[in-house]
Amino acid sequence: MKSQKQLTKSISIIIPIYNEEKTIMATLKNILFIFQQHKINFEIIIIIDIAPNDNSLKIIKSLSAQYDEIKYFSRTGKQGIASAIYLGIENSQNEVTMIVMGDSSEDPLDLVNMIKKMSEGYDMVFANRFSKGSKFKDYPKNKLLANRLCNNTIKFLFGINSKDITNAVKVYRTIFLKQIQITSEGFEIFVELPIKSYLL
């Protein structure tokens, strides 16, 4: 969806995590380095559900003390990714909101390119795991088939021009997300958000 062209001035990056001790430091440091390098005005909002015997919160507290861009909310127990993202949206004050996973599965340069695309005047930009040259490691064929069927069905029903609507990594105008009444309880939120944003 494309609107009047305007530059992206600021971005909030929502990262919901649970038991990401092994990857969260690399995820955050890579984002910090690349975004600072590209002179993007940003904040990182981390929502952490505290897992037993996991040091993610300790790592995040340490990084938050070093970097003003990082703020976090900690919650006891596994409360779910949908409510974590909702909390992130509630606390997003910037023009654009991006949702990113905490497992270092995204190249920060790809995230920057998505933001640049938003600056062309788009209201939403989605990552695409099925673009030319993409490779999947240990991705079950039955899961891939179900994914393609789901994406094509949503594309047909709602007219959303995306090959990977179910991908978690997306960028939105924050004003859209704040208008949505979220009903998801789990990972279906990654379908709910783009459909409801598109229909606004």
Side-chain angles (χ1 to χ4, degrees), residues 6 24 38 45 52 59 61 67 89 95 106 116 118-119 125 140 147 156-157 159 162-163 168-169 189 192 197:
Q6 64 183 91
I24 191 60
H38 283 80
I45 304 172
I59 293 168
K61 282 184 176 180
Y67 300 98
I89 292 170
E95 176 189 0
E106 289 83 38
K116 288 181 177 178
M118 286 289 287
S119 294
V125 173
N147 179 288
F156 173 76
L157 290 175
S162 171
K163 295 180 180 179
V169 184
I189 191 171
E192 180 183 9
S197 294

Side-chain angles (χ1 to χ4, degrees), residues 134-140:
S134 297
K135 295 181 180 179
F136 291 90
K137 184 179 180 181
D138 301 325
Y139 198 91

Side-chain angles (χ1 to χ4, degrees), residues 98-101 105-107 109-115 117-118 124-131 134 136 147-148 151 160-172 190 194:
M98 169 179 276
I99 300 170
V100 176
M101 297 295 96
S105 56
E106 289 83 38
D107 185 334
L109 280 174
D110 290 338
L111 304 182
V112 169
N113 288 332
M114 291 175 70
I115 294 166
K117 197 68 180 177
M118 286 289 287
M124 298 183 285
V125 173
F126 305 162
N128 180 11
R129 294 165 293 179
F130 303 95
S131 58
S134 297
F136 291 90
N147 179 288
R148 294 295 77 211
N151 273 277
I160 301 175
N161 187 21
S162 171
K163 295 180 180 179
D164 196 10
I165 299 165
T166 55
N167 190 356
V169 184
K170 300 181 177 76
V171 192
Y172 301 87
F190 297 120

Side-chain angles (χ1 to χ4, degrees), residues 89 173-182 196 200:
I89 292 170
R173 296 287 173 199
T174 304
I175 192 171
F176 285 3
L177 296 181
K178 288 184 179 292
Q179 294 179 61
I180 294 173
Q181 183 178 354
I182 295 173
K196 288 186 175 179
L200 285 176

Side-chain angles (χ1 to χ4, degrees), residues 28-163:
L28 293 174
K29 286 198 169 183
N30 288 337
I31 290 174
L32 284 160
F33 175 76
I34 295 298
F35 277 56
Q36 289 172 347
Q37 188 179 54
H38 283 80
K39 302 187 186 310
I40 297 171
N41 181 15
F42 71 101
E43 66 174 354
I44 300 174
I45 304 172
I46 303 167
I47 298 87
I48 172 172
D49 285 355
I50 300 172
N53 304 314
D54 176 67
N55 288 314
S56 295
L57 180 58
K58 182 179 179 181
I59 293 168
I60 291 166
K61 282 184 176 180
S62 175
L63 290 172
S64 177
Q66 297 175 56
Y67 300 98
D68 292 337
E69 293 91 345
I70 297 176
K71 64 181 180 181
Y72 66 91
F73 299 87
S74 60
R75 312 188 302 179
T76 303
K78 193 173 184 180
Q79 298 188 35
I81 194 165
S83 64
I85 290 172
Y86 179 74
L87 180 58
I89 292 170
E90 278 191 317
N91 286 277
S92 174
Q93 300 299 318
N94 289 330
E95 176 189 0
V96 167
T97 296
M98 169 179 276
I99 300 170
V100 176
M101 297 295 96
D103 59 1
S104 294
S105 56
E106 289 83 38
D107 185 334
L109 280 174
D110 290 338
L111 304 182
V112 169
N113 288 332
M114 291 175 70
I115 294 166
K116 288 181 177 178
K117 197 68 180 177
M118 286 289 287
S119 294
E120 294 178 13
Y122 290 92
D123 294 321
M124 298 183 285
V125 173
F126 305 162
N128 180 11
R129 294 165 293 179
F130 303 95
S131 58
K132 188 176 181 180
S134 297
K135 295 181 180 179
F136 291 90
K137 184 179 180 181
D138 301 325
Y139 198 91
K141 288 184 178 180
N142 60 337
K143 187 176 179 180
L144 178 62
L145 179 62
N147 179 288
R148 294 295 77 211
L149 179 61
C150 178
N151 273 277
N152 287 326
T153 300
I154 294 170
K155 183 177 180 179
F156 173 76
L157 290 175
F158 297 97
I160 301 175
N161 187 21
S162 171
K163 295 180 180 179

